Amino acid sequence: MVGSVGNDGLMELGAAAGNGVGKGARPMEEQPPARREVVLGRNVHTASFAVKEPEADDDETGEREAAMASVLALYRRSLVERTKHHLGYPYNLDFDYGALSRLQHFSINNLGDPFIESNYGVHSRQFEVGVLDWFARLWELEKNEYWGYITNCGTEGNLHGILVGREVFPDGILYASLESHYSVFKAARMYRMECVKVDTLISGEIDCADFQRNLLLNRDKPAIINVNIGTTVKGAVDDLDMVIKTLEESGFKDRFYIHCDGALFGLMIPFVKKAPKVTFKKPIGSVSVSGHKFVGCPMPCGVQITRLEHINALSSNVEYLASRDATIMGSRNGHAPIFLWYTLNRKGYRGFQKEVQKCLRNAHYLKDRLREAGIGAMLNELSSTVVFERPKDEEFVRRWQLACEGSIAHVVVMPNVTIDKLDYFLNELAEKRAAWYDQDGMCQPPCIAGDVGQENCACILHKNNLGCFCKDWNV
Amino acid sequence: MVGSVGNDGLMELGAAAGNGVGKGARPMEEQPPARREVVLGRNVHTASFAVKEPEADDDETGEREAAMASVLALYRRSLVERTKHHLGYPYNLDFDYGALSRLQHFSINNLGDPFIESNYGVHSRQFEVGVLDWFARLWELEKNEYWGYITNCGTEGNLHGILVGREVFPDGILYASLESHYSVFKAARMYRMECVKVDTLISGEIDCADFQRNLLLNRDKPAIINVNIGTTVKGAVDDLDMVIKTLEESGFKDRFYIHCDGALFGLMIPFVKKAPKVTFKKPIGSVSVSGHKFVGCPMPCGVQITRLEHINALSSNVEYLASRDATIMGSRNGHAPIFLWYTLNRKGYRGFQKEVQKCLRNAHYLKDRLREAGIGAMLNELSSTVVFERPKDEEFVRRWQLACEGSIAHVVVMPNVTIDKLDYFLNELAEKRAAWYDQDGMCQPPCIAGDVGQENCACILHKNNLGCFCKDWNV
C-alpha cells in the first residue's frame, strides 16, 4: 500500500481532472466590476500522490508494486479522457512515437552546444542538427550562417532570443506589444532591461503607430523588439514588414534587433499562402518556435534559430564538457530532437502544409458555427485560434480546458481537432448556454466588443452587427 | 531512402560515438605551456542525420519508413555501447521505466505553478507535488512553508535560486567559488549582478578566509552566496556552517541569501553519516538537485525547493493559464515528475542510503586501485568523484567519456558503476598507460600536485609521497 496513493488519492485525481471549481477559484459573479481578479486553478496540494517509504517486506508481498500499478493505470485513464476533451491550448495531441519507445531506456543528454560534441556519448546531436538544418532552411538562413538549439519550451526560445538581443545592444530597450507572451516580460525583469509595452489593435497585432510614438521618445537607445508570430490569446500575427519600416522611418537603421516569437504559428505561417514571410532575408535576429505545439511531442520542447555571428560573442567554452555554453539551460533533453526528427521526416513540408490547411478550414467552420448560434466570435485571417465569448460556467471551461482572459475564451484548432470533435463541443456549449442565459433577458451574455470589436460581438447591444456575418455561413 | 541518413550517416555516427579525435580537438602536446586551450569536441554538423522531404510514393513503397527504422536501430545500438562505456558524468544510467512506457503517448505538460492547476488537464501535478513534498521533508522544510518545482536540469535550479536571491536583495553581490558550476556565472551575467569569485582550497571547497576578505571589501551590499554541495569537477562539498559563520562574523546577519547547488550530491549527502547537514533549519534560501543524476531519468530534470515567502514576492498570475508564473520556464515536462515519483516510491530513503554507501565504497576502491598502479588520484571524503591524472590519449578519454579539466580527469562512481566495470576500466587504463609513458623516463605523466595536492600526485617529483598512501590499500 502506498499510503495516500490509495483510493482517496485517486478520487481526488478525478476531481483534479476537471470536475468542479476548487480552492482558489472564484466564480465570476463575485468579481469586482472594475478590475476582475484572475481566476486561478485549484490548489493541487491536497490531491497529490505522496511518496511513501517502502515497508521492509514490500519486495516479498508485491503490494507496493501493485498499488503503484493501480495508480498509474487510473492516471492513464484520466489522461485519455483529458486528451479527448482538450481544445484550449495549441498542442497537437495526435502523435504516435511507438517506434521510439525503446529509446526511453537511455539517459540521452545533449548538454552543451549542439554543434560541438561533448565527452558525454549518450547524446542525439546527429538528430538535433538535422532538425535545426530543416528549420534554418524553412526560415532561409544558410547552414554556415546560423546557430540554434532545441530548447525545453517556447519560453526558453524567447529568453534566448531576447538575451542575444541584449548582448548585441546592452543598453537597448525591449519593445513588446501588450499581447506578447508573459515570458517576454519575465525576460525583461530577469535581464534588468528597460521594457516598453506597446498598444495592440483589436485584432491583437502590435499597433505600429503607438510603436513609433514610443520609439521617438527613446531615440537615443537601440531597440530590441519582440515580434509575435501568432499571439497567445488571439493568434494575431504582428506585421513584421511594418515593424521594420517603422524602425527605419524612426531613425533606427542598424540599431535594432528583432526576435520573432513563433511559438505556435512560426511553423504554420510558412504554409499559409497570403501570410507575410518570416525569413532571415529580412533584418531579424532570431526566431523561436515550440516543438510540442504544431509538431506534437510527449514533452514540451522548442527550436531556436539565430545568426551565428551573434552567438560567437555570447558563448564561452566549458572545459569539462569539452563543449561550448551558449544555451540557457545546461543539460538538455536528448529525446526531444529524436521526436522532432521523426515527425519532420514522416510529414515533410507537404505533410505540414496539408495539416495547416485543415486547421485553418476547421477554424473557419468553428467560428461560423459559433456565430450561427448567436455567439460572438473572432478569427484572425492567418490564424486557427478562434476567440469567443467566455463560457459562464468554470466547470465547462475546465472540462474543455479552454484558455480564458477577461470575457473571452479561445479554442486553438490543432491537427488533432476534427469536425466531429468541434460538433461535440458546439452542441454541448449550445445546450449549456441555453441554461446559463434565460430567455426573459434578465441574464445576458457578456459584451466582448472591447476584446474583439463590435462587429464580432453578439451581446444585446451589438448582435445586430453580428447578424450580417451569419449570412457568411456556408461560404 | 532518407538521403544522408543512409550508410554514410551511420558510419559517421560510429565515429561521432567515440572513435577518434575529430575536428576542433587538439592533442595535448600542441598546447602552449602557459595557457592551455580548451579541447573542444568534434563539430557535429557533418555527421548529422538530415531531414529529407518524403517522395510522393513513399507511403506505398514503405522505403522511407524502413530507412528510418534502420537509422534508429543502429542509433540504439550505439547508445547501448556508449552507455556501457560511460564513467565521467554523474548520471545514474541504471533505470527501468518500462512500467511507464504507455504514458509516452500523452503530451503531459505542467505549465505554470505546480501547486495551482492550470486549465490544461493533461498534466502530472499530483506526482510533481508528491515528489516535491518528499524533497522538502528531506531538507526539513514544512509543507506550508516551502515552494518548489521540477526543473529541466540543474542549471534551471541554479538560475532560479540565484534569481530568488536577487529579488530578495536587488543590490546584492553574488559570491561563488571558482569551482562552482558554469551556470552560476552565467546567471550573474544574465541577471546583471555583480559577481565575486572566491578562491578554493585544494580539495575544491570554498576558501572561507578569502570569502571573508571579499565580504569585508563589500560591507555595504548584501551577499547572495552559491554554496556547492559537491562541485562539478572534484565533488567538493563547501562547508555550509563555516559559510554561515563567516557571513555572521563579517556583519552580514540577515543580509544574506544562500543558494545550495546540490546537483549530484544534494541527494547523496543526507545519507552520508559524517556529512554536514543541508537543511532549511539553517538560514538557507534554496536548494536544487538534479533528477537525472543520482535518481536516474531518461531526460535531464531537477528539483528546486525554496521558501514560500520568497516566491509570493516573485510570482505573477497568468490569466490565460489560470495559474501563476514563478518558474523560469513556461511549459514544463510532465513526464519527469512521474519518473522521479516512480523511483522514489520504489527505492525510498533506505534504498538511496544503500546506493550511496555502495557508491562511496566503490569510489574508494577505484582511488586505491589507481594509486596502487602508481597513478595520482584524489577522493574527497564525502564524495564519489575520483579525480586523477588526465589520460594522455583523447581517444581513451572519449571512449570512457571522462570529464577533463587541465591535467586532471574524473570518474563519478554512480549506482550503475560496478566493481567489474571499474576493473575493466582500470585494466584498460594500465595497459594503455604503459604505452603512453616509456620506461626510460623521456615521457613522464603530468604533475597534478597543483590540482590535487602533492600528497595525491604520482609524478616523478611527488611519487614518493604517494608511496605512503599505497600502504593504505586493503584497509
Side-chain angles (χ1 to χ4, degrees):
Chain A
M1 194 56 223
V2 196
S4 73
V5 194
N7 284 337
D8 287 354
L10 292 168
M11 280 169 60
E12 301 236 358
L13 169 63
N19 308 328
V21 181
K23 223 157 106 187
R26 143 196 293 253
M28 287 185 73
E29 293 87 325
E30 277 177 43
Q31 288 151 18
R35 194 184 153 155
R36 228 174 33 79
E37 264 194 46
V38 171
V39 179
L40 288 180
R42 20 177 292 142
N43 188 312
V44 178
H45 225 143
T46 50
S48 68
F49 294 150
V51 174
K52 287 279 168 178
E53 186 68 10
E55 304 286 336
D57 63 349
D58 268 338
D59 283 344
E60 292 150 37
T61 65
E63 220 174 307
R64 184 173 36 121
E65 292 282 333
M68 284 169 71
S70 136
V71 169
L72 289 167
L74 274 156
Y75 174 62
R76 189 173 177 282
R77 205 181 300 164
S78 84
L79 291 182
V80 170
E81 186 277 327
R82 294 283 71 206
T83 296
K84 203 169 125 194
H85 289 99
H86 174 263
L87 284 176
Y89 292 81
Y91 308 148
N92 181 3
L93 304 185
D94 184 16
F95 51 74
D96 178 3
Y97 290 118
L100 306 179
S101 62
R102 292 182 70 205
L103 300 180
Q104 196 183 272
H105 299 287
F106 300 97
S107 181
I108 312 181
N109 191 334
N110 290 355
L111 61 169
D113 193 288
F115 301 99
I116 302 170
E117 222 180 26
S118 84
N119 281 345
Y120 182 62
V122 189
H123 67 79
S124 65
R125 280 178 169 76
Q126 315 91 319
F127 295 92
E128 182 174 19
V129 173
V131 169
L132 295 173
D133 281 351
W134 191 90
F135 277 93
R137 209 157 57 233
L138 185 70
W139 295 321
E140 305 186 300
L141 194 51
E142 292 296 323
K143 252 191 185 183
N144 58 353
E145 288 177 10
Y146 91 86
W147 184 89
Y149 74 108
I150 295 188
T151 61
N152 286 293
C153 55
T155 289
E156 188 174 353
N158 289 342
L159 290 183
H160 194 274
I162 293 168
L163 184 61
V164 169
R166 193 200 71 178
E167 297 300 285
V168 173
F169 294 115
D171 63 338
I173 294 176
L174 177 62
Y175 297 84
S177 88
L178 282 163
E179 302 202 23
S180 302
H181 189 254
Y182 63 93
S183 58
V184 172
F185 305 109
K186 177 156 72 179
R189 181 172 172 178
M190 277 169 68
Y191 300 154
R192 291 187 156 164
M193 294 169 77
E194 203 177 323
C195 177
V196 171
K197 293 185 183 182
V198 181
D199 286 344
T200 47
L201 308 174
I202 201 89
S203 65
E205 287 167 67
I206 191 168
D207 177 350
C208 280
D210 188 56
F211 179 42
Q212 182 153 46
R213 272 190 295 278
N214 281 295
L215 284 172
L216 296 178
L217 288 174
N218 297 287
R219 283 174 207 260
D220 55 327
K221 289 190 178 163
I224 297 159
I225 308 99
N226 176 72
V227 168
N228 296 305
I229 309 302
T231 58
T232 316
V233 174
K234 295 181 182 171
V237 177
D238 289 346
D239 188 334
L240 175 59
D241 296 327
M242 181 74 89
V243 166
I244 294 169
K245 197 167 158 242
T246 306
L247 282 160
E248 289 176 344
E249 285 178 3
S250 311
F252 281 74
K253 198 164 166 42
D254 300 331
R255 285 196 305 134
F256 64 85
Y257 179 96
I258 294 177
H259 169 68
C260 296
D261 174 8
L264 164 65
F265 217 60
L267 189 48
M268 295 178 73
I269 207 166
F271 307 109
V272 179
K273 275 180 202 147
K274 284 174 293 184
K277 231 175 162 181
V278 173
T279 165
F280 280 91
K281 291 187 173 160
K282 299 177 183 173
I284 61 173
S286 46
V287 183
S288 59
V289 70
S290 296
H292 58 297
K293 290 184 178 156
F294 201 75
V295 181
C297 189
M299 71 280 295
C301 62
V303 174
Q304 170 72 356
I305 299 285
T306 184
R307 294 181 192 272
L308 183 60
E309 58 189 298
H310 298 324
I311 285 304
N312 290 336
L314 181 80
S315 67
S316 55
N317 292 337
V318 180
E319 182 166 16
Y320 86 94
L321 294 184
S323 191
R324 193 168 62 165
D325 183 32
T327 60
I328 302 278
M329 292 295 129
S331 282
R332 298 189 298 108
N333 182 349
H335 293 269
I338 309 177
F339 290 125
L340 296 182
W341 179 88
Y342 185 80
T343 301
L344 296 185
N345 260 312
R346 293 193 73 193
K347 295 191 177 166
Y349 292 96
R350 266 196 301 273
F352 284 115
Q353 187 154 34
K354 264 191 213 164
E355 289 197 333
V356 167
Q357 283 163 358
K358 193 183 88 176
C359 290
L360 296 181
R361 216 163 42 233
N362 289 354
H364 273 273
Y365 174 81
L366 172 61
K367 180 207 67 178
D368 292 341
R369 282 284 316 267
L370 283 167
R371 288 185 167 187
E372 200 188 25
I375 301 171
M378 178 180 88
L379 171 60
N380 274 311
E381 195 189 3
L382 304 173
S383 169
S384 70
T385 300
V386 179
V387 179
F388 60 102
E389 157 205 318
R390 180 181 189 144
K392 191 165 177 256
D393 180 12
E394 285 297 320
E395 191 178 324
F396 182 86
V397 165
R398 271 167 205 282
R399 174 165 156 80
W400 288 97
Q401 302 163 56
L402 305 176
C404 298
E405 200 173 84
S407 300
I408 55 174
H410 77 209
V411 161
V412 187
V413 179
M414 297 298 289
N416 63 312
V417 176
T418 59
I419 293 283
D420 277 355
K421 193 173 202 168
L422 291 174
D423 282 341
Y424 177 22
F425 166 75
L426 284 158
N427 292 339
E428 202 173 299
L429 176 61
E431 192 187 312
K432 294 271 181 191
R433 201 165 170 274
W436 298 334
Y437 304 113
D438 46 20
Q439 298 305 311
D440 60 6
M442 291 295 283
C443 180
Q444 288 287 342
C447 172
I448 58 170
D451 296 295
V452 297
Q454 289 188 13
E455 69 280 18
N456 296 312
C457 179
C459 79
I460 193 155
L461 268 176
H462 302 116
K463 67 180 166 189
N464 290 338
N465 300 331
L466 190 75
C468 347
F469 281 92
C470 292
K471 294 175 199 152
D472 282 346
W473 168 237
N474 270 343
V475 169
Chain B
M1 195 53 222
V2 196
S4 72
V5 193
N7 285 336
D8 287 354
L10 293 167
M11 281 169 61
E12 301 236 358
L13 168 64
N19 310 328
V21 181
K23 224 156 106 185
R26 144 195 291 252
M28 287 184 75
E29 294 87 326
E30 278 177 42
Q31 289 150 17
R35 197 189 151 148
R36 228 175 33 78
E37 261 193 50
V38 171
V39 179
L40 287 181
R42 24 176 289 141
N43 187 313
V44 178
H45 224 143
T46 51
S48 69
F49 295 150
V51 174
K52 287 280 171 176
E53 186 66 9
E55 305 286 335
D57 63 350
D58 268 338
D59 284 343
E60 292 151 37
T61 64
E63 220 175 306
R64 184 172 35 121
E65 292 283 333
M68 285 169 69
S70 136
V71 169
L72 290 168
L74 274 156
Y75 174 63
R76 190 173 176 282
R77 206 180 302 163
S78 83
L79 290 183
V80 171
E81 187 278 327
R82 294 284 72 206
T83 296
K84 202 169 126 193
H85 290 99
H86 174 262
L87 284 177
Y89 292 80
Y91 309 148
N92 181 2
L93 304 185
D94 184 15
F95 51 75
D96 178 3
Y97 291 119
L100 307 179
S101 63
R102 292 182 71 205
L103 300 181
Q104 195 182 273
H105 299 286
F106 299 98
S107 181
I108 312 181
N109 191 334
N110 290 356
L111 62 168
D113 192 288
F115 300 98
I116 302 170
E117 221 181 26
S118 85
N119 282 344
Y120 182 61
V122 190
H123 67 78
S124 66
R125 281 178 169 74
Q126 315 91 320
F127 295 91
E128 183 173 19
V129 172
V131 170
L132 295 173
D133 280 351
W134 190 89
F135 278 93
R137 209 159 56 232
L138 186 69
W139 296 322
E140 305 186 301
L141 193 50
E142 292 296 324
K143 251 190 185 185
N144 58 352
E145 286 177 12
Y146 91 85
W147 184 90
Y149 74 107
I150 295 187
T151 61
N152 286 292
C153 56
T155 289
E156 188 175 353
N158 289 342
L159 290 183
H160 194 274
I162 294 169
L163 184 62
V164 169
R166 193 200 70 178
E167 296 300 286
V168 173
F169 294 115
D171 63 338
I173 294 177
L174 177 63
Y175 296 84
S177 90
L178 282 164
E179 302 203 24
S180 302
H181 189 253
Y182 62 91
S183 59
V184 172
F185 306 109
K186 176 157 72 178
R189 181 170 172 181
M190 278 170 68
Y191 300 155
R192 292 186 156 164
M193 294 169 77
E194 204 178 322
C195 178
V196 171
K197 293 186 182 181
V198 181
D199 286 345
T200 47
L201 308 174
I202 201 88
S203 65
E205 287 167 67
I206 191 168
D207 177 351
C208 280
D210 188 56
F211 179 41
Q212 182 154 47
R213 271 191 295 278
N214 281 296
L215 283 173
L216 296 179
L217 287 174
N218 297 287
R219 284 173 207 260
D220 55 327
K221 288 189 177 165
I224 296 160
I225 308 98
N226 176 73
V227 168
N228 296 306
I229 309 301
T231 58
T232 316
V233 173
K234 295 181 182 172
V237 177
D238 290 346
D239 187 335
L240 176 59
D241 296 327
M242 180 76 89
V243 166
I244 294 170
K245 196 168 157 243
T246 306
L247 282 160
E248 288 176 346
E249 285 179 2
S250 310
F252 280 75
K253 197 163 166 45
D254 299 331
R255 286 195 306 133
F256 64 85
Y257 179 96
I258 294 176
H259 169 68
C260 297
D261 174 7
L264 163 65
F265 218 60
L267 189 47
M268 295 177 72
I269 207 167
F271 307 110
V272 179
K273 274 179 204 146
K274 282 175 292 184
K277 230 174 163 182
V278 173
T279 165
F280 280 91
K281 290 186 172 161
K282 299 177 183 172
I284 61 173
S286 45
V287 184
S288 60
V289 70
S290 296
H292 58 297
K293 290 183 178 157
F294 201 75
V295 181
C297 188
M299 71 280 295
C301 62
V303 174
Q304 170 71 357
I305 299 285
T306 184
R307 294 182 193 271
L308 183 60
E309 60 190 295
H310 299 324
I311 285 304
N312 291 334
L314 181 80
S315 68
S316 56
N317 292 336
V318 180
E319 182 166 16
Y320 86 92
L321 294 184
S323 191
R324 193 168 62 166
D325 183 32
T327 60
I328 302 277
M329 291 295 130
S331 283
R332 298 188 298 108
N333 183 349
H335 293 268
I338 309 177
F339 290 125
L340 297 182
W341 179 88
Y342 185 79
T343 301
L344 296 185
N345 260 311
R346 292 193 74 191
K347 296 192 177 166
Y349 292 96
R350 267 197 300 271
F352 283 114
Q353 188 153 34
K354 265 191 213 164
E355 289 198 333
V356 167
Q357 284 163 358
K358 192 183 90 176
C359 290
L360 296 181
R361 214 161 46 230
N362 290 354
H364 273 273
Y365 174 83
L366 172 62
K367 180 207 66 179
D368 292 341
R369 283 283 317 266
L370 284 166
R371 288 183 168 189
E372 198 188 28
I375 300 170
M378 177 181 88
L379 172 60
N380 274 311
E381 194 190 3
L382 304 173
S383 169
S384 71
T385 300
V386 179
V387 180
F388 60 102
E389 158 204 318
R390 182 182 187 142
K392 191 164 177 256
D393 181 11
E394 285 297 319
E395 191 177 323
F396 182 85
V397 166
R398 271 166 203 284
R399 173 165 155 82
W400 288 98
Q401 303 162 56
L402 305 176
C404 297
E405 200 174 84
S407 299
I408 54 173
H410 77 208
V411 160
V412 187
V413 179
M414 297 298 290
N416 63 312
V417 176
T418 58
I419 293 282
D420 278 354
K421 193 173 201 167
L422 291 174
D423 281 341
Y424 179 21
F425 166 76
L426 284 158
N427 292 339
E428 201 173 300
L429 177 61
E431 191 186 311
K432 294 271 180 190
R433 202 164 169 275
W436 298 334
Y437 303 114
D438 44 21
Q439 299 305 313
D440 60 6
M442 292 294 284
C443 180
Q444 288 287 341
C447 172
I448 57 171
D451 296 296
V452 297
Q454 290 187 14
E455 69 279 19
N456 297 312
C457 180
C459 79
I460 194 155
L461 268 176
H462 302 116
K463 67 179 167 190
N464 289 340
N465 300 332
L466 191 73
C468 347
F469 279 93
C470 290
K471 294 174 199 154
D472 282 344
W473 169 235
N474 271 344
V475 169

